[in-house]
Amino acid sequence: MINISSVNKTFDDVVSLHDVTLNIGTGSIFGLIGSTGSGKSTLLRILSGVYQPDCGDILYDGAPVWENPEVKEEIVYLSDEQFFLSHATIRDMMTFYKSVYHSFSMEKYNNYLALFGLNERRRISTFSKGMQKQVQFLIGISCNTKYLFCDETFDGLDPVMRHTVRKIVATEVAERGLTVIFASHNLKEIEDI
């Protein structure tokens, strides 16, 4: 369970989050909906331990996330802005994430790589935005963590791939109790999930 208690975050004089309190149950899919600039990405970054809140607490089954590698190893955050190592192939990124996440599943990686029809030897920088989103999701879901945070994950995906990603997420939640948070400015996409 994720417990968010009285979290605040400001950047200079801009209030991004004010007194956010929320509990998210294990094995659930949670949607954060809001317009651009409403604090969705900031909350996901705080939940991931990337940002420290100005005040308030984030606890995972009672343990804080900030500067806690054991908790962070159970979280994958798929940012709205993909980042890949320079000149990396999918295989390079898989190797990198596998070295960080001890729960990384090669079986999932190989299955989803085949399902997406991606060439793991191709440089990611040559892929379209939608294909890069597929790579990001492929690597993230293969990390096999307890928590998956998705920030505008469906941007750039075609309708078939959106359906495929939703199906994968539903299966992971049902079969192993994955907890997923989707952040989007698009209400329709959150409703579909």
Side-chain angles (χ1 to χ4, degrees):
M1 171 165 290
I2 305 171
N3 301 103
I4 304 165
S5 178
S6 301
V7 167
N8 290 279
K9 184 67 178 174
T10 58
F11 298 95
D12 297 323
D13 61 344
V14 176
V15 176
S16 183
L17 300 173
H18 176 71
D19 200 27
V20 176
T21 299
L22 178 65
N23 292 320
I24 300 171
T26 301
S28 63
I29 299 174
F30 188 86
L32 284 173
I33 188 78
S35 60
T36 302
S38 63
K40 301 180 306 295
S41 297
T42 299
L43 182 59
L44 290 181
R45 288 179 179 127
I46 289 173
L47 286 170
S48 302
V50 175
Y51 289 165
Q52 183 177 22
D54 297 336
C55 65
D57 293 307
I58 305 286
L59 300 174
Y60 289 80
D61 298 322
V65 67
W66 183 251
E67 295 189 353
N68 189 339
E70 291 81 24
V71 172
K72 288 183 179 183
E73 189 172 338
E74 295 297 336
I75 301 166
V76 168
Y77 168 51
L78 305 181
S79 174
D80 59 336
E81 299 172 4
Q82 298 92 27
F83 173 79
F84 302 106
L85 299 173
S86 182
H87 307 293
T89 64
I90 298 174
R91 185 159 187 78
D92 294 335
M93 292 306 299
M94 177 275 294
T95 302
F96 174 76
Y97 275 84
K98 188 176 175 192
S99 74
V100 174
Y101 288 95
H102 299 100
S103 59
F104 194 95
S105 170
M106 284 303 296
E107 180 182 359
K108 285 182 186 183
Y109 170 80
N110 289 321
N111 289 342
Y112 294 141
L113 182 70
L115 178 67
F116 292 166
L118 296 169
N119 177 353
E120 72 173 349
R121 302 271 183 208
R122 186 171 159 190
R123 286 190 183 186
I124 299 169
S125 60
T126 67
F127 288 160
S128 68
K129 177 182 176 182
M131 291 173 74
Q132 288 183 6
K133 287 278 189 174
Q134 290 175 45
V135 171
Q136 182 188 46
F137 180 79
L138 161 69
I139 299 292
I141 202 74
S142 297
C143 289
N144 209 33
T145 58
K146 288 183 176 180
Y147 305 96
L148 178 67
F149 303 151
C150 302
D151 196 355
E152 304 290 355
T153 296
F154 296 104
D155 279 2
L157 294 181
D158 62 58
V160 171
M161 192 50 60
R162 288 175 191 213
H163 175 75
T164 301
V165 167
R166 284 194 299 264
K167 186 175 177 184
I168 291 169
V169 167
T171 300
E172 293 283 329
V173 170
E175 289 181 358
R176 65 181 187 89
L178 176 67
T179 302
V180 183
I181 300 176
F182 281 103
S184 180
H185 65 276
N186 187 332
L187 180 59
K188 175 73 171 130
E189 290 187 356
I190 297 294
E191 283 179 333
D192 288 346
I193 297 165

